[in-house]
Amino acid sequence: MNHLPLLIRREFWEHRSFFIAPAVVAAILILIITFGHPQFRHASLDLVGNPEFESKRYAILTLLLTGVAVPYLISMGFLTLFYLLDSLYADRKDRSVLFWKSLPVSDRETVISKLVVAAVALPLMTFGAVLATNLLFGLIGSLRLSGTVEHVWSMVWEPRLWFAAHALILYSMATMTLWYLPILGWLLLVSAWARRAVILWAVLPILALMLLEYGFLQTFHVAHMLRDRFGGWFHLALNTNAAERAADVDGSRIPMTGRLIDSIDPGTFFSSPGLWIGLIVAAGFIWAAILLRRRRSET
Amino acid sequence: MGAVIEARGLSKSFGKFHALDNVSFSAAAGRIVGLIGPNGAGKTTALRAILGLTNYEGELKVLDLDPYTQRDRLMQEVCFIADVAVLPGWLRVQQAVDFVAGVHPRFRPELAEQFLGRTNIKRTSRVRELSKGMITQLHLALVMAIDAKLLVLDEPTIGLDIIYRKQFYESLLSDYFDHERTIVITTHQVEEVENLLTDVLFIDRGRIVLDSTMEQVAESFVQLTVNPDHVAAAREFKPFYEREVFGRTVMFFQNAAADALHKLGDARTPSVADLFVAKIKGAAA
C-alpha cells in the first residue's frame, strides 16, 4: 500500500508554517506591487512607463516576473532548513514517535515522506504561489501603467513572456533542489541523529572538520567544497553571459534581448560531476537517516 | 497456531546495566499476559524489543516476524500503547482517525467513532486542548478499533479516573478480547487487571522470576496466615517468604502440601500483587 500521499498530508497538518510563511511573503509583495516601486536587478515597474526604455520593456517585464520568485525562494529556504532539522527530531522529543511507530508505516517511508515534502511538495507549492502572485502583479501592474503606456495590456499579457519567465523559475527551482539535495540529506541525517541541539549538530561537526584539516594539513578542502556547494549552482545551471553582454549599451544594465530563458543551460548542469557526486552523497545521508530512524525511538 | 511471542536468550544492555539478561519466555494465542515488575526491572525494554523499537541480542519472534527489521509488517498485526498517551499536541482528533484509517488495513473507523461517541471528545479539537484522560481515551479508541492479533498495553490507564479505568477494562474484555487475540499488559495497578489475566510474567533486574498461568498460580502457591502457635511447624514446610501483618505471620509457599498447611492457619491463593512482592523480596533475602 502506498502511504506517501497521506504521509505528506500529515506534514501539512503539522506544519502550518508551510502556509503562513508564503502568505506573509505574498502579503508584503502585494503591498509593494500595489503601492510601492517593484524592482529587480535594475528593472522596475517605473521604467516600463519610461519612453526611453520602450525597446527594453519586454526585458524589464521578464525580470520583474522572475524577481517575484526571489523572496519566496528565500523564505522557502529557511522553511526547509528548520522543517528538516525538526522532521525526525520533534516527535522523538515529545515522544509521539511511539505513536507513529505503532502504525504499519516503515521508517523508510517516514524518512522519504519528509524528503519528498522538502524536495517536491514545498517547491511546487512555492511555484504555485509565485505564479499566483505574478498573475496579480500583471493585473495590478497593467492598471498602474494603463494611464502612461499604450497597448499595456497586450504587452504585459504576452504569452511568450509568461512562459519564458515561469519556465526559467521552474527550471531554476528543479536544478536548485537537485544541487542542494546533499544539504537536505545532511539535515535529515542530523535530525534523525541528534538527541538535543539539532542546529549545533548540523554545523559544529563541519566546523570541527575544517579546523582539523587546517590544523594538520594546512589545507582548506572542506571549506572550498562547502563554498562550491553553496555558490556553485548559479553558474552551472544558468549561463548569463549572453544576456550580460547584451546589457549596458545605454548604461541601464538591462539586457537588450530580455530572452532570459536563453540562459537556461541544462547541458552544463547535468554534465557537471559536482551534481552527480552530490546526489550520491545525498543518497548516503538519506540511507543513514533511515537506519538511525529505526534505531532511535526516543531522544 | 504456535506462540505469538517467542523469546530465547533475549538480552539487552545499556553500558554495564543489563536491562534484559538472557531472558526466555513465550506467549500463546488467546492469552492475556501480565508483565509485572518494579521500575527499572526490564519491563519496558522487553516491550520495546517485542514492538521492534529497540535492537537486542538473542532470538525473538513475534507472530513469526523479526520485530526489529520487520516492524512495519508486524504493526499490521500488532497494536500498542507504549507508556502514557503519546499523541502529538498538534494533531486534531479527526486527523488522528483519518491517518490511522489511511495507513492501517485492519482499522475500522466506525468502531473508533463508536468508542469516541461515548466520550466528550470533539472531533475538531487538537490533542493539546484535551485533558490527559481524554487523550488516553482517544488513543484507546484508535487502538481498540484495530483488529490486531496482539495488543500491547504499557500502563494504559495512567491519568484516567477510576470510573473510566473500570470501563476501559470492561470494554477490553467484552468488546475487544476474543480467544484468538493476545494481550500483553503492564501496569502498576496490578489489582485492577488481576481478574483479567490468564498468565503472569514476573520480571526483576532483567530476569524472569515467575512465568506461570493463573491456574498454576492457584495450584502451586499458598499464602498462609499462620496461627501464632504453629509458626515453627509452618516453617518446616519451607516458606520462600514471610512477613508480619498486624502482629501475625504471613508465609508464602510454593508446591507445598496444601492440605497440611490448612491445619496451620488461614490458607488461600495469594493475590498477584502479594505474590509478586513475596517473590521479589523472597529472592532478595
Side-chain angles (χ1 to χ4, degrees), chain A residues 140-203:
Chain A
I140 295 169
S142 306
L143 284 172
R144 287 182 66 174
L145 293 170
S146 59
T148 48
V149 183
E150 271 185 83
H151 310 299
V152 66
W153 292 91
S154 60
M155 188 174 70
V156 168
W157 295 100
E158 222 254 313
R160 258 184 27 225
L161 166 75
W162 284 77
F163 174 77
H166 291 96
L168 181 67
I169 294 168
L170 209 54
Y171 166 80
S172 300
M173 291 178 77
T175 49
M176 244 185 220
T177 304
L178 290 174
W179 183 253
Y180 291 122
L181 209 59
I183 296 172
L184 303 192
W186 170 251
L187 296 174
L188 270 176
L189 175 59
V190 170
S191 178
W193 162 265
R195 292 177 196 277
R196 59 188 74 84
V198 200
I199 249 188
L200 291 182
W201 276 109
V203 179

Side-chain angles (χ1 to χ4, degrees), chain B residues 66-80:
Chain B
D66 175 340
Y68 188 58
T69 58
Q70 297 175 297
R71 183 185 57 79
D72 51 320
R73 276 184 58 201
L74 182 66
M75 285 306 136
Q76 296 194 4
E77 317 279 350
V78 176
C79 48
F80 72 91

Side-chain angles (χ1 to χ4, degrees), chain B residues 193-267:
Chain B
V193 296
E194 174 150 17
N195 300 326
L196 262 67
L197 301 179
T198 62
D199 296 71
V200 286
L201 205 57
F202 288 176
I203 185 166
D204 186 37
R205 282 171 286 183
R207 289 169 176 277
I208 302 283
V209 182
L210 178 71
D211 178 0
S212 169
T213 67
M214 290 300 276
E215 290 89 7
Q216 285 167 350
V217 167
E219 279 166 23
S220 46
F221 288 97
V222 174
Q223 174 183 336
L224 180 72
T225 307
V226 192
N227 290 335
D229 42 345
H230 290 147
V231 171
R235 283 206 179 112
E236 294 289 305
F237 290 91
K238 296 192 174 23
F240 62 90
Y241 178 64
E242 61 173 89
R243 62 188 171 123
E244 299 288 321
V245 180
F246 299 123
R248 294 188 66 180
T249 305
V250 179
M251 295 182 188
F252 291 81
F253 300 90
Q254 183 168 7
N255 299 325
D259 298 338
L261 290 175
H262 272 282
K263 290 169 193 148
L264 302 173
D266 181 10

